[in-house]
Amino acid sequence: MSDDRQLRFPEPDVALIPAPSRLSASLPGGGTGYVIDADTEIEATEGTERVAQWLRATVGAATGFPLRPHRDHANRVLLRIIPSLADELGSPEAYRLCADGYLIAIDGASEAGLFWGAQTFRQLLGPDAFRRAPITRREAWEFPAVTLHDAPRFRWRGLLLDVARHFMPKEGVLRYLDLMAAHKLNVFHFHLTDDQGWRIEIKRYPKLTETASWRTRSKFGHRASPLWEEKPHGGYYTQDDIREIVAYAAERHIAVVPEIDVPGHSQAAIAAYPELGNTDVIDTTALTVWDNWGISANVLAPTDTTLRFYEGVFEEVLELFPADATGSTGFSSFVHIGGDECRKEQWTGSVTAKNRIADLGLADEDGLQSWFIGHFDAWLSARGRRLIGWDEILEGGLAEGAAVSSWRGYGGGIAAARAGHDVVMCPEQYVYLDHRQAPGEDEPVPIGFVRTLEDVYRFEPVPDGLTEAEARHVLGTQANVWTEVIEDTARVDYQTFPRLAAFAEVAWSRLPAPEERDFAGFERRMAAHYARLDALGVAYRPPAGPRPWQKRPGVPGRPIEGPPPHK
């Protein structure tokens, strides 16, 4: 293991998550360090005012202190952007924090780095700094005398939230962006469309929200469950909602990557516009938005009509998700097109599909799917954007700039990296947070493999066997929250936390090899972090197991026994 992968945990232990690269006492023998009070000011140098505003809105609200712009007090928080820190610490998202005497200096290699330093500053103030108003009248808040140097291991530190299966209102999405920022995650994968719902307003196709955003009922539990919730479910984000979400994320240095699924996972769109389906095989006018889970056989028809329709969709999507929405990462240029789990039965029986295969000189229906993905790869590239899709899009070959989300284990990521494609590692066996957290019967609607907090902490995003050059194609990693059996925000919280905290440390910190990681030390730091989550109102899974109201007795799941496959 090279030295640059080794994380140091020096004294003092201030329970930061994710753990910083280097931390030491600023004053000889420790010391109380710094006091924040009503006279503390913020000195915002050039390019730092947005971070200063964020500190006033969060830390200012929690402490009740105004944190006025700096005028004459020595007692101040100094914000600076120092680009040379990028070379010194190896990342444009690097930061340095030093508390000594009457000054706390937070320096970032960029505005993003400065913002991550501000997140650490908030953690160091204690759990009550995460509240929205003071809970007691405190004349002063102590701040430890520490010096930190910190930078992320991975550029892409992502969270996927599936709002298609169960809709999350806009306020919930904004809340999750705040939770991501608190954990230094910087890519929000926004899964907006699927068989069970379409969640984004497209003005030229109003039926996508009038019809495709609502289903008449929902399966309760796994798809084999006999239980149904017999009431309509749905919702969507207006274009102004989307603009607000993207702007809110950008203020927190989070890139939003929208996902519009093609050519599978498209029954909701076909229900709204039947001409998109395989009309020579089934009566698409009889389709409704799907009310069950699983993989629908109703996929898009490989026709020019379908291509033009989705080009129209993507034209509006590109306007709503501009490529320059965030700073240094460049990930806001990505558009996710799904490309996974496309069933071929209807294409096999379709004369239209057979003619398209013949006209294009393709071998079979698998080649037709590759052609479909390739069309939008070229279309997006011509507009300065980058396509990313699930690892099935590797089948048939990809254009040079396309990237891959490796979900079916490590194999897709290895193949993509060896073929020269950038890859985001999100294998379902390790970082699908809808999978159950413990083997006990109390786990609500148990799905998939047991993935404990420790399992997530020992996840290694870079697969074995890659050369150094190939490993550089691993942009980073992402945890995915699929919501088929997660019906509301409280259930999203339960499945996501505390495991997202462990994942955040994997994505940010330069941890040793999985078997060498200090999980006991992480658990000790989590004891303080639970108090932060409490202050934020997160309905996480307690270490001892679910609370009575978090259980779902009698709702069938689909647990998979035994350890997940390694690859």
Side-chain angles (χ1 to χ4, degrees):
M1 186 68 62
S2 62
D3 289 341
D4 67 346
R5 287 280 311 282
Q6 298 294 330
L7 181 70
R8 294 176 285 277
F9 291 95
E11 295 296 331
D13 181 5
V14 289
L16 293 173
I17 289 177
S21 302
R22 301 200 303 271
L23 186 153
S24 59
S26 296
L27 303 177
T32 58
Y34 186 89
V35 171
I36 292 178
D37 57 25
D39 292 329
T40 301
E41 298 174 345
I42 295 180
E43 182 177 355
T45 61
E46 184 178 358
T48 69
E49 186 53 43
R50 286 205 307 176
V51 176
Q53 290 173 356
W54 180 86
L55 283 170
R56 293 186 185 102
T58 54
V59 173
T63 60
F65 301 147
L67 302 178
R68 298 181 183 90
H70 175 59
R71 292 185 179 178
D72 51 14
H73 280 83
N75 178 2
R76 71 193 190 278
V77 179
L78 172 62
L79 306 178
R80 298 179 294 193
I81 294 176
I82 302 177
S84 61
L85 284 175
D87 294 328
E88 179 184 337
L89 299 176
S91 169
E93 296 182 89
Y95 70 90
R96 177 179 59 207
L97 187 155
C98 182
D100 193 353
Y102 290 96
L103 177 69
I104 298 176
I106 309 175
D107 302 325
S110 63
E111 189 186 17
L114 182 69
F115 182 70
W116 304 132
Q119 293 289 349
T120 298
F121 169 81
R122 190 186 190 189
Q123 284 199 22
L124 288 168
L125 281 171
D128 287 346
F130 288 80
R131 297 188 180 276
R132 296 189 182 186
I135 57 174
T136 58
R137 181 174 177 79
R138 294 165 63 173
E139 298 298 328
W141 293 52
E142 289 190 358
F143 192 91
V146 293
T147 296
L148 293 95
H149 297 77
D150 202 9
R153 179 186 176 194
F154 291 109
R155 291 171 54 210
W156 184 301
R157 307 179 301 279
L159 174 69
L160 175 146
L161 185 59
D162 168 19
V163 297
R165 273 54 175 267
H166 279 100
F167 179 66
M168 179 178 284
K170 181 193 67 177
E171 289 302 315
V173 174
L174 298 177
R175 173 176 174 265
Y176 258 82
L177 291 171
D178 279 329
L179 291 172
M180 288 178 64
H183 293 82
K184 299 185 173 71
L185 300 175
N186 69 341
V187 179
F188 178 54
H189 181 158
F190 206 6
H191 184 78
L192 289 163
T193 74
D194 218 295
D195 297 306
Q196 296 87 359
W198 184 284
R199 306 294 178 216
I200 178 172
E201 179 187 28
I202 303 297
K203 290 188 180 295
R204 72 187 70 183
Y205 303 128
K207 291 181 182 178
L208 289 174
T209 44
E210 293 169 1
T211 300
S213 68
W214 294 90
R215 59 179 182 262
T216 58
R217 63 176 186 169
S218 301
K219 177 69 72 170
F220 195 37
H222 182 253
R223 62 180 176 270
S225 167
L227 305 175
W228 293 90
E229 185 179 41
E230 297 285 353
K231 68 178 182 180
H233 176 86
Y236 65 91
Y237 309 102
T238 68
Q239 293 204 348
D240 283 345
D241 289 339
I242 294 292
R243 292 185 181 99
E244 180 183 358
I245 288 167
V246 170
Y248 195 85
E251 290 174 353
R252 286 146 184 79
H253 297 276
I254 296 171
V256 183
V257 176
E259 181 177 354
I260 307 294
D261 253 312
V262 297
H265 289 288
S266 299
Q267 183 169 325
I270 298 168
Y273 291 92
E275 65 271 22
L276 298 175
N278 296 283
T279 57
D280 59 345
V281 177
I282 65 163
D283 177 10
T284 56
T285 64
L287 291 178
T288 60
V289 177
W290 208 21
D291 58 12
N292 211 332
W293 316 130
I295 308 169
S296 172
N298 294 295
V299 302
L300 297 174
T303 63
D304 290 344
T305 296
T306 299
L307 297 181
R308 300 294 87 78
F309 182 96
Y310 273 87
E311 287 170 1
V313 169
F314 283 120
E315 284 177 2
E316 296 193 26
V317 166
L318 296 192
E319 188 273 327
L320 293 169
F321 297 89
D324 59 352
T326 53
S328 58
T329 65
F331 295 141
S332 56
S333 65
F334 280 96
V335 176
H336 207 292
I337 51 75
D340 62 315
E341 297 179 327
C342 179
R343 291 174 60 175
K344 310 296 195 303
E345 301 97 309
Q346 291 182 1
W347 287 354
T348 300
S350 168
V351 173
T352 300
K354 291 181 186 299
N355 288 339
R356 178 67 87 173
I357 290 170
D359 291 344
L360 295 170
L362 303 175
D364 53 22
E365 289 78 14
D366 289 337
L368 195 58
Q369 179 176 355
S370 178
W371 163 80
F372 205 109
I373 299 301
H375 174 86
F376 287 104
D377 193 346
W379 191 91
L380 289 167
S381 295
R383 288 154 181 81
R385 306 301 283 266
R386 291 188 66 184
L387 178 147
I388 185 169
W390 303 110
D391 52 57
E392 287 96 329
I393 69 171
L394 283 165
E395 299 159 7
L398 277 180
E400 183 177 350
V404 171
S405 301
S406 184
W407 75 276
R408 295 180 297 177
Y410 284 114
I414 293 170
R418 287 178 175 168
H421 293 288
D422 289 339
V423 60
V424 176
M425 295 304 304
C426 47
E428 65 167 331
Q429 305 92 334
Y430 298 93
V431 289
Y432 270 35
L433 300 185
D434 50 313
H435 283 212
R436 58 196 172 127
Q437 302 187 63
E441 294 182 359
D442 287 340
E443 289 304 305
V445 198
I447 298 294
F449 297 102
V450 172
R451 293 287 83 190
T452 65
L453 184 66
E454 181 173 1
D455 291 330
V456 174
Y457 191 67
R458 297 192 188 280
F459 165 61
E460 171 50 47
V462 179
D464 294 335
L466 294 182
T467 66
E468 185 176 342
E470 291 166 348
R472 283 197 290 270
H473 283 292
V474 179
L475 297 175
T477 183
Q478 179 173 290
N480 295 344
V481 181
W482 300 103
T483 61
E484 287 95 335
V485 302
I486 303 177
E487 72 277 8
D488 56 33
T489 300
R491 282 280 290 121
V492 173
D493 280 6
Y494 179 90
Q495 291 299 133
T496 303
F497 289 98
R499 292 182 296 181
L500 192 69
F503 173 81
E505 186 147 309
V506 168
W508 177 277
S509 306
R510 296 183 182 274
L511 297 174
E515 63 277 7
E516 299 170 7
R517 294 176 189 174
D518 180 11
F519 179 68
F522 175 76
E523 282 190 305
R524 285 193 295 273
R525 286 181 287 123
M526 276 302 300
H529 199 65
Y530 285 121
R532 297 179 191 128
L533 297 179
D534 285 332
L536 288 165
V538 177
Y540 58 84
R541 180 190 190 275
R547 297 181 173 94
W549 56 87
Q550 292 174 319
K551 301 175 184 180
R552 295 292 186 276
V555 182
R558 186 182 65 90
I560 303 174
E561 302 302 332
H566 179 60
K567 295 298 183 185

